[in-house]
């Protein structure tokens, strides 16, 4: 098999592929969807399943024909496609040994490493891994795409990112580093301004820094946001922290 470029693939915050030193141009939206689907499901996928996912309103014969056409176009855009994609009559699979760097995989690997470090009582290693995860999550999965199969994956990754930020803040606070945790707590609120637990976390961090005025400002921001957006007051636990 001929050598080809390593791919640097970004799906978080944008869709971008760099092949070697040059961007890989995939102008057709359906071709982009095919590639992203295979990257997010890196195990064998039956051709019928791939075709039905991309063309849910088309009969099977036409959908499979469309898929074959897309694969031909993908091979034209990436001539050494066999280094990255394994194909046969029945299934498609993004190769496990493909020479590529995928930001989604790196983000999830960092989250997994952090969770394992926590389980083994290694808070320093967990903090380092969560910080890697936070740096690698540069935005939601392929923003602006609303395909039915894609939205749940976007929400899953966002939830995992929010969970990673929460755990990172708690670990930093427990390590006596509340100031380092502030930026991550603020980032958590930027991701989800209605995440009430994040307001409490930020209040607790300011209290640990003996900045009661800042903690009170956070509470009032929380109360205003919840009332304006949800017509609700802060929960009893948030009000108790305020008191």
């Amino acid at each position: 098999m001929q050598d080809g470029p390593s791919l640097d693939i970004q799906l978080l915050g944008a869709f971008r592929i760099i092949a070697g030193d040059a961007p890989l141009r995939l102008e057709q939206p359906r071709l982009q969807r095919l590639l992203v689907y295979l990257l997010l499901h890196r195990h064998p996928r039956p051709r019928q399943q791939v075709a039905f996912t991309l063309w849910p309103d088309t009969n099977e014969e036409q959908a499979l024909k469309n898929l074959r056409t897309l694969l031909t176009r993908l091979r034209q855009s990436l001539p050494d496609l066999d280094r990255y994609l394994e194909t046969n009559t029945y299934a498609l699979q993004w190769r496990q040994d493909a020479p590529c760097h995928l930001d989604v995989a790196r983000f999830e690997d960092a989250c997994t490493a952090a969770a394992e470090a926590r389980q083994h009582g290694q808070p320093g290693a967990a903090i380092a891994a969560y910080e890697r995860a936070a740096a690698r999550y540069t935005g939601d999965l392929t923003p602006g795409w609303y395909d039915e199969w894609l939205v749940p994956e976007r929400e899953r990754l966002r939830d995992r990112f929010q969970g990673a930020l929460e755990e990172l803040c708690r670990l930093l606070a427990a390590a006596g580093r509340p100031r380092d945790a502030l930026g991550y707590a603020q980032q958590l609120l930027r991701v989800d301004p209605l995440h009430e637990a994040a307001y409490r976390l930020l209040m607790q961090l300011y209290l640990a820094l003996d900045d009661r005025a800042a903690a009170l400002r956070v509470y009032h921001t929380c109360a205003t946001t919840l009332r304006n957006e949800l017509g609700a007051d802060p929960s009893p636990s948030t009000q108790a922290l305020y008191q």
Side-chain angles (χ1 to χ4, degrees):
M1 188 179 299
Q2 292 183 345
D3 290 339
S6 176
L7 302 181
D8 190 353
I9 304 172
Q10 178 185 356
L11 303 183
L12 296 172
F15 172 77
R16 181 166 54 234
I17 301 177
I18 305 297
D21 297 322
L24 181 65
R25 301 194 179 281
L26 300 174
E27 304 295 345
Q28 186 179 357
R30 194 79 69 174
L31 191 56
Q32 297 174 5
R33 266 64 173 179
L34 170 62
L35 192 54
V36 170
Y37 180 85
L38 294 171
L39 287 164
L40 293 176
H41 305 88
R42 296 182 298 279
H43 50 275
R45 309 297 287 190
R47 282 179 177 251
Q48 289 90 342
Q49 183 176 0
V50 177
F52 177 75
T53 298
L54 296 180
W55 293 276
D57 300 321
T58 305
N59 65 62
E60 181 177 324
E61 181 180 358
Q62 184 61 50
L64 287 170
K65 181 180 178 181
N66 293 344
L67 178 59
R68 290 192 296 271
T69 300
L70 271 193
L71 289 170
T72 299
R73 291 177 180 170
L74 183 58
R75 191 174 296 279
Q76 292 168 349
S77 300
L78 193 60
D80 47 357
L81 182 63
D82 291 337
R83 298 187 73 223
Y84 311 100
L85 186 65
E86 185 174 342
T87 64
N88 58 46
T89 305
Y90 306 103
L92 307 173
Q93 180 185 11
W94 190 262
R95 296 177 63 98
Q96 297 295 326
D97 59 351
C100 72
H101 302 291
L102 175 61
D103 60 351
V104 171
R106 288 183 163 189
F107 163 71
E108 297 215 82
D109 287 347
C111 289
T112 299
E116 291 176 351
R118 286 180 57 235
Q119 290 177 355
H120 289 90
Q122 300 170 329
I127 288 172
Y130 277 133
E131 288 179 327
R132 290 198 304 274
R136 287 168 180 169
Y137 192 95
T138 54
D140 283 343
L141 178 70
T142 54
W145 296 17
Y146 299 104
D147 307 67
E148 186 175 344
W149 58 268
L150 183 67
V151 171
E153 186 67 7
R154 177 183 296 136
E155 293 174 350
R156 183 188 71 81
L157 290 170
R158 185 192 297 135
D159 287 346
R160 192 165 194 188
F161 174 55
Q162 290 179 261
L165 288 179
E166 286 190 55
E167 291 299 330
L168 176 56
C169 288
R170 292 191 176 98
L171 286 169
L172 286 170
R177 298 168 57 188
R179 192 169 300 279
D180 292 336
L182 280 178
Y184 294 113
Q186 291 163 346
Q187 185 178 6
L188 182 57
L189 279 176
R190 287 194 297 271
V191 173
D192 183 4
L194 300 179
H195 190 18
E196 190 175 348
Y199 288 103
R200 289 196 299 272
L201 182 57
L202 192 54
M203 290 171 68
Q204 290 164 344
L205 291 173
Y206 278 124
L207 288 173
L209 293 167
D210 200 26
D211 192 343
R212 296 170 61 84
L216 291 174
R217 286 195 298 270
V218 171
Y219 173 81
H220 289 301
T221 299
C222 172
T224 300
T225 302
L226 293 179
R227 287 172 190 145
N228 289 343
E229 299 296 328
L230 302 177
D233 291 324
S235 67
S237 56
T238 303
Q239 293 185 40
L241 181 59
Y242 168 71
Q243 295 300 329

